Amino acid sequence: MSLLKTNSIKIAFGGGCHWCTEAVFQSLKGVERVEQGYVASVGEARAFSEAVIVHFNANTILLSVLIEIHLYTHKSTVAHSMRQKYRSAIYTFSEAQKQTAMEILQQLQSQFIERLVTEVLPFQSFKASREEITNYYLKNPSKPFCERFIEPKLALLREEFSAFTKK
């Protein structure tokens, strides 16, 4: 088994629009692949919500860094009326990953004045986006949506998390 396979991990994130979330994670070193679509969990979170599955190399970028970036690149402290469609969540694939994500989230709370609304939820199912809207920012960087909503998030990455961004 190759080192890449051994250290390749996946986790899913939901926040704002999946076009934005996809572009953020595609910009990071150590992220091998981003699947854009809709994720469902269990209980009250069983409805599909816009999200991405991030496949990353744990030797290159830590889960704690991915979670921190996620919290800063969407409205992680706002319980707005569109949270059903844009659930602020970290979807985990194992009980161990869930515990780790909860610990990281608890540690990062001190960086925010407001309470984080981001939930740690078990991943249940995924429905991929239509091909024509995947890699949205990479295909359409000068579209108004990208300039208005995605580019500010990428600018934040370049300013605050430059050690983790692809050049």
Side-chain angles (χ1 to χ4, degrees), residues 82-165:
M82 296 295 289
R83 276 293 176 222
Q84 186 66 12
K85 181 178 180 182
Y86 304 117
R87 188 177 301 120
S88 180
I90 302 164
Y91 300 96
T92 58
F93 289 85
S94 70
E95 187 60 33
Q97 192 178 54
K98 174 186 173 186
Q99 290 304 316
T100 301
M102 289 173 62
E103 290 169 12
I104 293 166
L105 200 58
Q106 187 175 28
Q107 291 166 2
L108 292 172
Q109 175 61 67
S110 65
Q111 296 180 24
F112 295 84
I113 296 168
E114 303 290 328
R115 185 182 73 79
L116 292 167
V117 299
T118 307
E119 300 175 88
V120 177
L121 300 166
F123 176 90
Q124 185 68 29
S125 56
F126 178 73
K127 186 168 53 171
S129 292
R130 298 181 326 273
E131 178 60 35
E132 46 289 357
I133 64 168
T134 61
N135 299 306
Y136 191 79
Y137 180 80
L138 295 176
K139 294 175 186 172
N140 307 287
S142 60
K143 287 222 174 181
F145 181 90
C146 295
E147 290 178 346
R148 181 169 181 200
F149 296 105
I150 299 174
E151 189 52 46
K153 294 172 189 328
L154 299 180
L156 173 82
L157 281 181
R158 290 188 295 270
E159 291 169 23
E160 301 295 326
F161 298 97
S162 62
F164 304 103
T165 58

Side-chain angles (χ1 to χ4, degrees), residues 24-87:
V24 164
F25 289 108
Q26 285 176 331
S27 300
L28 300 175
K29 295 177 192 170
V31 171
E32 298 165 346
R33 185 166 54 113
V34 179
E35 297 177 77
Q36 182 209 110
Y38 306 86
V39 171
S41 185
V42 296
E44 291 181 17
R46 70 182 172 277
F48 281 99
S49 183
E50 293 193 18
V52 297
I53 299 174
V54 176
H55 300 259
F56 66 100
N57 185 313
N59 285 334
T60 307
I61 191 163
L62 298 174
L63 179 59
S64 59
V65 172
L66 294 175
I67 292 173
E68 182 177 12
I69 287 170
H70 179 59
L71 297 177
Y72 279 102
T73 54
H74 81 284
K75 294 179 179 177
S76 60
T77 61
V78 180
H80 57 70
S81 63
M82 296 295 289
R83 276 293 176 222
Q84 186 66 12
K85 181 178 180 182
Y86 304 117
R87 188 177 301 120

